[in-house]
Amino acid sequence: MSVIKGVKGVKDLLPEETPRWRFIEESARRWATRYGFHEIRIPIFEVTTLFARSIGASTDIVEKEMYTFPDRDGTSLTLRPEGTAGTVRAYIEHNRAAIPVPQKYFYTGPMFRHERPQAGRLRQFHQFGVESYGIADPRADVEVIALLWHILHELGLPSLTLEINNLGQAADRDIYRPVLVGYLKHHEAGLCGNCKHRIEANPLRVLDCKVPECRIITEQAPRLSESLSETARSYFAQVLAGLDLIHIPYSLNHRLVRGLDYYNLTTFEVTATNLGAQNAVGAGGRYDGLVETLGGASTPAVGFAVGLERIAMLLPDSQNSLIPADKTVYVAGFGNKGSVAGLTALEELRTFGIPAVSDFRATTLKAHLRQADRLGCQFTLLLGDDEAIKGAAVLRNMESKSQHDVLLSSLPSQVQSLLRPS
Ligand code: ATP
Ligand code: MG
């Protein structure tokens, strides 16, 4: 029979890798909680209009990356390409604005984009993100950026840069757009095919095109900062002052525009030098217009999302050792009576809360000890027919080889006290 394989760009995380992932997720959760964010779990799929309306029709995501399919009644559904749209929908749908305390959420889970798979770019990937609603204060931007910075720093990721830019308000960009379009049209011949198309569709996106020819052209382009209102400038200055105050390092990048349409004012991205072409670890910004665009009341909002695959790629190996090894007991029950007593011992240890394993294929003590070693168990409970008849067993420390007799009648508590570091 032919073998069925996984889908291209969709990866399995095997048991050897999941501790690393758990470490990342737990670290992010812990930091988010410390900053007063609470977990929200939103659905994997939504109606297509939600993403089309929020992310923007002429963005890479909506134009070519969405997994869209008709439901059985014909409704168009889409696998979520990001978490912000769904979180905003839930915020509106459950009237969270009526709750008189700041609404600060975090989420983590798979996202889906039909992209060309390569290192750090998958079709099913994972993000951790936060969203803060209702606070039009530069300190909310600072809080979110500081959280992002601390999560990445605690993980010990090497060579990170936080880039930040001011996108101004929609009205500022309305002034800037024709200026930029005029300049780009003048240099159209030198732009990549994608950017030629973007001139009309989404000219600001040309600014962060990675193609070297485009970069040379846009380096000389008129800057958005020149079209910004006084309010937008002052808001951004306060964000930067806040970051300075709490010593979060950043560098200004006037090209940073982000691929989603809903951002305004503060926008930021964290990049790592050793990720190759896919160097963005996470990104976010303020998106004060989105809640209203999706039918809610006008609500200021700010958030970020980080890509967990890229963090996992960057995570130093030494971080794995931060995961405490369980003191797992290998139960070596052999012989007729020993096997039966072994099953009871496993159950008793586990219900008591002690991790316990056995390889039921092993029938001799020697085979059991080999499996205990392979599984990296620090302790083995030796339980043959003789021991079973006596109502006792032997707990062996696999490293020191020291052995202790334990009574089966009060097995878990005796094992527990022997597992404690002396
Ligand atoms: P990129 O420029 O790398 O395509 P993006 O602007 O599309 O990134 P966002 O939508 O801001 O990315 O998503 C935030 C983060 O999610 C990215 O910085 C990245 O770490 C991660 N990410 C985005 N798309 C993918 C993907 N296809 N595979 C793996 N990670 C991804
Ligand atoms: Mg992308």
Side-chain angles (χ1 to χ4, degrees):
M1 212 128 46
S2 66
V3 173
I4 298 170
K5 295 218 171 124
V7 174
K8 191 176 165 200
V10 177
K11 263 187 41 170
D12 299 303
L13 288 175
L14 298 172
E16 289 76 12
E17 297 165 273
T18 49
R20 202 178 170 77
W21 277 71
R22 231 177 14 239
F23 175 67
I24 296 169
E25 285 162 353
E26 279 164 12
S27 172
R29 277 169 200 272
R30 194 171 52 246
W31 274 104
T33 306
R34 236 180 246 178
Y35 275 67
F37 288 79
H38 299 282
E39 184 173 11
I40 184 167
R41 299 196 185 192
I42 46 166
I44 300 281
F45 58 93
E46 303 264 4
V47 293
T48 303
T49 356
L50 174 70
F51 302 114
R53 210 200 288 176
S54 60
I55 297 168
S58 49
T59 55
D60 286 352
I61 295 180
V62 174
E63 271 189 342
K64 51 189 187 206
E65 296 174 358
M66 293 204 305
Y67 278 96
T68 298
F69 57 95
D71 201 351
R72 286 172 193 273
D73 68 358
T75 314
S76 181
L77 300 177
T78 293
L79 299 185
R80 62 183 189 193
E82 50 100 66
T84 300
T87 309
V88 169
R89 182 206 40 74
Y91 173 84
I92 299 169
E93 193 166 331
H94 303 287
N95 193 24
R96 305 292 293 183
I99 302 171
V101 292
Q103 291 301 297
K104 293 159 61 175
Y105 306 111
F106 74 82
Y107 60 82
T108 183
M111 305 294 163
F112 306 86
R113 297 184 196 178
H114 193 277
E115 305 197 66
R116 198 166 62 78
Q118 52 198 289
R121 192 175 291 291
L122 293 159
R123 292 184 172 172
Q124 173 173 331
F125 62 102
H126 299 79
Q127 286 185 337
F128 175 91
V130 311
E131 319 286 355
S132 166
Y133 298 117
I135 318 286
D137 187 303
R139 286 172 293 180
D141 307 47
V142 171
E143 183 176 68
V144 156
I145 295 170
L147 170 57
L148 170 60
W149 190 248
H150 282 300
I151 290 173
L152 300 179
H153 253 256
E154 184 185 74
L155 294 170
L157 307 191
S159 58
L160 299 176
T161 311
L162 169 68
E163 299 188 343
I164 187 164
N165 192 23
N166 186 0
L167 286 182
Q169 302 291 13
D172 302 328
R173 290 196 299 277
D174 288 345
I175 295 171
Y176 174 63
R177 204 170 289 112
V179 180
L180 177 65
V181 168
Y183 174 87
L184 293 175
K185 280 198 170 142
H186 194 74
H187 295 85
E188 186 166 352
L191 294 172
C192 75
N194 232 338
C195 284
K196 283 191 177 111
H197 160 74
R198 285 176 179 145
I199 295 182
E200 293 300 336
N202 199 347
L204 267 75
R205 274 295 267 167
V206 178
L207 294 176
D208 80 353
C209 179
K210 304 289 184 297
V211 175
E213 288 72 24
C214 297
R215 290 189 74 89
I216 293 167
I217 291 170
T218 52
E219 193 49 52
Q220 306 299 324
R223 294 190 178 184
L224 172 60
S225 58
E226 289 149 21
S227 305
L228 294 177
S229 68
E230 193 40 50
T231 329
R233 285 171 206 254
S234 141
Y235 189 93
F236 191 61
Q238 291 175 71
V239 173
L240 299 185
L243 293 174
D244 290 336
L245 186 74
I246 59 170
H247 310 294
I248 305 289
Y250 57 85
S251 69
L252 297 171
N253 176 358
H254 67 92
R255 294 164 173 281
L256 187 67
V257 295
R258 315 281 309 109
L260 299 85
D261 273 0
Y262 50 61
Y263 287 112
N264 68 312
L265 293 171
T266 319
T267 182
F268 52 88
E269 186 165 273
V270 174
T271 54
T273 42
N274 32 2
L275 270 181
Q278 310 327 318
N279 68 350
V281 180
R286 185 159 274 285
Y287 53 97
D288 297 329
L290 184 59
V291 178
E292 204 173 0
T293 301
L294 292 177
S298 168
T299 307
V302 57
F304 71 72
V306 286
L308 300 187
E309 276 75 9
R310 295 189 195 171
I311 293 181
M313 283 167 73
L314 285 170
L315 193 67
D317 285 340
S318 64
Q319 293 297 46
N320 287 343
S321 61
L322 289 175
I323 301 156
D326 278 331
K327 286 200 190 309
T328 300
V329 176
Y330 185 95
V331 174
F334 55 100
N336 285 339
K337 295 200 166 60
S339 302
V340 173
L343 193 57
T344 310
L346 279 166
E347 182 66 8
E348 286 181 0
L349 291 171
R350 290 165 176 166
T351 47
F352 192 80
I354 299 169
V357 297
S358 189
D359 185 339
F360 300 128
R361 294 170 303 180
T363 52
T364 63
L365 177 58
K366 196 172 158 218
H368 272 304
L369 289 174
R370 189 168 54 226
Q371 294 310 79
D373 270 331
R374 282 183 176 150
L375 288 164
C377 295
Q378 287 155 301
F379 296 89
T380 299
L381 188 74
L382 312 176
L383 190 42
D385 284 344
D386 291 351
E387 285 79 10
I389 290 163
K390 276 191 293 182
V394 174
L395 188 72
R396 180 202 293 231
N397 184 320
M398 298 297 279
E399 210 178 309
S400 69
K401 308 280 185 248
S402 68
Q403 302 200 147
H404 290 271
D405 291 335
V406 286
L407 292 175
L408 293 181
S409 55
S410 54
L411 183 72
S413 56
Q414 288 182 66
V415 169
Q416 172 85 328
S417 58
L418 291 167
L419 295 188
R420 273 199 215 107
S422 45

